């Protein structure tokens, strides 16, 4: 199969890694809950200030990103793995490729061959994904601002959801 590195990462690596998250981040004690992996720890490995906030999670909806409750900025599985494993990661050259090869090994898949354009395309897709996720997180928070009051009221009064259910479902 001749696929670009970006396609490989988003279409094959991340979906394969989704089933191996406890092996990718053993220090975070991820547990599988309804299509998500949830950790009681923050991404840096520390305990949250309040038990129901600052949890890290990886959802099937945004499969390649490790999110943290209350944060707008996700981090990709590749970047967090590199950071936690001391790769001195810089998004260029062989270092990123070595991280991808290690993650392929964890996911039990073969790493693709490197091409001249793969790093550029990967960075473009990563930036696009980060913008989408930041927008999604802002929309979720907007429900709980004065501007989102009418929508939240509709969801609770008309649709019958509790505010906690709205938060858990990630509605925005």
């Amino acid at each position: 199969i001749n696929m670009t590195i970006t396609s490989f990462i988003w279409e094959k690596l991340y979906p394969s890694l989704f089933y191996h998250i406890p092996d990718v981040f053993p220090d975070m004690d991820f547990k599988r809950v309804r299509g998500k992996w949830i950790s009681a720890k923050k991404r840096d490995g520390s305990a949250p200030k309040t038990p129901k906030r600052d949890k890290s999670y990886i959802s099937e909806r945004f499969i390649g990103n490790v999110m943290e409750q209350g944060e707008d900025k996700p981090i990709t599985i590749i970047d967090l793995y590199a950071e936690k494993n001391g790769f001195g990661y810089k998004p260029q050259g062989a270092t990123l490729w070595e991280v991808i090869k290690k993650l392929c090994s964890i996911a039990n898949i073969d790493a693709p061959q490197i091409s001249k354009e793969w790093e550029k395309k990967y960075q473009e897709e990563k930036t696009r994904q980060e913008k989408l996720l930041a927008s999604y997180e802002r929309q979720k928070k907007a429900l709980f601002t004065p501007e989102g009051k009418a929508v939240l009221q509709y969801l609770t009064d008309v649709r019958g959801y509790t505010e906690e259910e709205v938060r858990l479902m990630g509605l925005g």
Side-chain angles (χ1 to χ4, degrees), residues 5 14 19 25 28 54 61 89 91 94 98 106 111 134:
I5 193 66
Y14 286 150
Y19 300 99
F25 304 113
M28 294 187 66
D54 299 323
R61 181 184 285 175
Y89 176 70
E98 299 230 352
I106 292 170

Side-chain angles (χ1 to χ4, degrees), residues 1 3 7-17 107 109-110:
I1 296 174
M3 59 182 0
S7 297
F8 173 81
I9 289 169
W10 294 100
E11 296 171 19
K12 187 164 184 174
L13 179 61
Y14 286 150
S16 297
L17 282 174
I109 59 175
D110 293 328

Side-chain angles (χ1 to χ4, degrees), residues 18 31-38 57-60 168:
F18 188 75
K31 304 284 185 256
R32 183 88 187 261
V33 179
R34 291 179 301 213
K36 286 186 186 182
W37 287 99
I38 299 175
Y57 64 95
I58 301 168
S59 77
E60 284 183 298
L168 287 172

Side-chain angles (χ1 to χ4, degrees), residues 96-142:
L96 177 59
W97 189 247
E98 299 230 352
V99 174
I100 290 171
K101 286 179 12 184
K102 287 244 185 221
L103 289 171
C104 285
S105 176
I106 292 170
N108 298 316
I109 59 175
D110 293 328
Q113 297 298 313
I114 194 168
S115 71
K116 292 179 183 180
E117 295 289 319
W118 75 272
E119 174 61 25
K120 180 182 174 192
K121 290 183 187 293
Y122 170 73
Q123 290 302 324
E124 288 170 358
E125 179 63 14
K126 182 177 155 188
T127 300
R128 188 181 78 77
Q129 291 282 334
E130 287 172 352
K131 287 178 181 176
L132 284 171
L133 280 166
S135 173
Y136 172 68
E137 289 299 314
R138 282 191 305 277
Q139 290 173 24
K140 285 190 336 188
K141 287 180 181 179

Side-chain angles (χ1 to χ4, degrees), residues 17-31:
L17 282 174
F18 188 75
Y19 300 99
H20 298 277
I21 293 301
D23 299 324
V24 177
F25 304 113
D27 63 318
M28 294 187 66
D29 302 319
F30 273 103
K31 304 284 185 256

